[in-house]
Amino acid sequence: MSNSKEVSKSTIERLPKYLRYLIEIDKLGAVDISSTTIAEHFNFNPIQVRKDIAQVSKKSGKPKTGFKVKELIKDIQNFLGYNNYSEAVIVGCGGLGKTLMAYSGFLSLGLKIVAAFDSNPALFGLEVNGLKIHSMEELDAVINKTSAKIGIITVPRESAQQVCDRLIECGIKGIWNFAPLHLVVPSDVAIRNEDMAASLAVLSYELAAKQKSD
Amino acid sequence: MSNSKEVSKSTIERLPKYLRYLIEIDKLGAVDISSTTIAEHFNFNPIQVRKDIAQVSKKSGKPKTGFKVKELIKDIQNFLGYNNYSEAVIVGCGGLGKTLMAYSGFLSLGLKIVAAFDSNPALFGLEVNGLKIHSMEELDAVINKTSAKIGIITVPRESAQQVCDRLIECGIKGIWNFAPLHLVVPSDVAIRNEDMAASLAVLSYELAAKQKSD
């Protein structure tokens, strides 16, 4: 991502937050919203919020009233691709895998899980949220029947890299990794690691810092 | 966090990654490691890695051999507080809550879940991973019997802010939020949001960008 026209990762991370807030205030009847109000809600820098919005919306906010809530919702949804969805497969149907399979919110985030896999024969053929669990031997054949480009990895740490390699061999181009390790992928594959250890480290450090300053 | 001596959030997020890698190569028999090798493994900037290590380890790496793996492991573990643990309570014992309660890796990350709560009477008294599920009415009394300072929130979006407020009333000082919304906390409380929508947005955007450049 070197093109200067590209939108920064931190902007993209903030957009779903704005969207949830806008949908909320739309329900409450709000018609207009200023970038300052959005910034105050999140305790973000107003200049940052204005820049973020400018990158996804062609309409510029009016001096006093700001933006139309409904228009801004549509612009962010369009930018994030929430008006249609990408197909994904999930590998690893343990506790976390099952939780993600049962999560009803993905569709509204533009993601549809279309197939599930596990290496445990006891799970083969079982259904979670209408998704049948397939064996790892079926990975290639089942993925080929879908248009899935995203692979969600919820297997134990030990097998995660191998699963990742196999998904990529099957044509998967984006890996969403929940296993606690750093996966190595080719440069044409996008990867996102959910690193709970990293999250927890930051929380613990900030907690300690706040308690020291008491 | 304005003190210039404080360690940055991004450094803290990288430390658990280094640690996992160092433990891995220690098992494989590695004695010394250079910051350059660590940087290459993660595709990070070597200067960044050197700075990160300098903030947690008093020993400076030797020009050719670098750092002692075992010493560096200890230094990072000490810095992250993994040699002792913080107690935490969890509210919300649905799929994700149960998955976190059953996760055996938290103890090695310095976290011990000591109590669980839910508002669903059908779950009261049940045990997950040796943890009894309490009613929300017992929140105050049960937390007071522990030394928990961290509250993990795995309830639905609708009740998350209310649960957060109640945890803080009970003396919780750090919130680890898995519900999909932005929680508002007083300035003396540390908060970490696991925002899956934000993660997914970044992954989808990078996937699209890589496919365009094909």
Side-chain angles (χ1 to χ4, degrees), chain A residues 32-105:
Chain A
D32 303 290
I33 180 96
S34 71
S35 49
T36 319
T37 308
I38 300 176
E40 276 167 8
H41 176 76
F42 291 104
N43 207 7
F44 288 167
N45 181 339
I47 298 166
Q48 184 69 72
V49 174
R50 221 163 299 143
K51 278 189 192 167
D52 289 344
I53 293 176
Q55 298 205 62
V56 298
S57 177
K58 279 174 194 161
K59 290 137 202 151
S60 47
K62 288 188 185 159
K64 287 215 170 155
T65 52
F67 300 88
K68 295 280 169 207
V69 174
K70 281 191 199 300
E71 286 180 4
L72 201 46
I73 288 176
K74 268 196 193 156
D75 286 340
I76 298 179
Q77 284 175 330
N78 283 340
F79 180 87
L80 292 173
Y82 287 180
N83 37 358
N84 43 36
Y85 58 79
S86 307
E87 292 189 348
V89 300
I90 187 163
V91 183
C93 303
L96 181 59
K98 284 200 188 103
T99 301
L100 296 181
M101 287 161 79
Y103 180 55
S104 56

Side-chain angles (χ1 to χ4, degrees), chain A:
Chain A
M1 308 247 289
S2 56
N3 188 328
S4 63
K5 271 189 189 170
E6 278 168 355
V7 180
S8 80
K9 203 164 122 174
S10 36
T11 293
I12 296 167
E13 285 180 333
R14 283 187 294 268
L15 292 173
K17 298 182 209 291
Y18 299 158
L19 183 59
R20 282 195 295 253
Y21 173 64
L22 292 167
I23 290 173
E24 200 108 312
I25 62 164
D26 176 53
K27 276 185 200 154
L28 298 172
V31 176
D32 303 290
I33 180 96
S34 71
S35 49
T36 319
T37 308
I38 300 176
E40 276 167 8
H41 176 76
F42 291 104
N43 207 7
F44 288 167
N45 181 339
I47 298 166
Q48 184 69 72
V49 174
R50 221 163 299 143
K51 278 189 192 167
D52 289 344
I53 293 176
Q55 298 205 62
V56 298
S57 177
K58 279 174 194 161
K59 290 137 202 151
S60 47
K62 288 188 185 159
K64 287 215 170 155
T65 52
F67 300 88
K68 295 280 169 207
V69 174
K70 281 191 199 300
E71 286 180 4
L72 201 46
I73 288 176
K74 268 196 193 156
D75 286 340
I76 298 179
Q77 284 175 330
N78 283 340
F79 180 87
L80 292 173
Y82 287 180
N83 37 358
N84 43 36
Y85 58 79
S86 307
E87 292 189 348
V89 300
I90 187 163
V91 183
C93 303
L96 181 59
K98 284 200 188 103
T99 301
L100 296 181
M101 287 161 79
Y103 180 55
S104 56
F106 280 138
L107 212 54
S108 69
L109 299 176
L111 190 84
K112 188 179 183 182
I113 302 179
V114 294
F117 303 88
D118 202 286
S119 61
N120 179 0
L123 300 177
F124 299 164
L126 290 185
E127 279 200 11
V128 177
N129 205 25
L131 281 172
K132 205 178 105 177
I133 301 176
H134 296 275
S135 75
M136 291 302 288
E137 282 68 39
E138 298 169 272
L139 197 68
D140 205 4
V142 174
I143 289 179
N144 272 327
K145 279 186 214 154
T146 72
S147 55
K149 287 281 167 273
I150 292 177
I152 304 171
I153 299 183
T154 44
V155 299
R157 173 182 166 75
E158 296 70 33
S159 43
Q161 182 65 56
Q162 195 198 336
V163 163
C164 174
D165 297 345
R166 286 204 53 198
L167 284 168
I168 294 168
E169 280 167 26
C170 296
I172 292 298
K173 292 291 182 192
I175 298 284
W176 198 5
N177 174 38
F178 289 82
L181 84 165
H182 178 87
L183 292 176
V184 181
V185 297
S187 63
D188 65 332
V189 173
I191 181 150
R192 179 80 187 182
N193 291 293
E194 294 303 313
D195 192 336
M196 294 222 299
S199 267
L200 183 56
V202 174
L203 177 63
S204 300
Y205 183 79
E206 291 187 354
L207 177 63
K210 280 180 196 284
Q211 294 197 306
K212 248 183 245 165
S213 68
D214 273 358

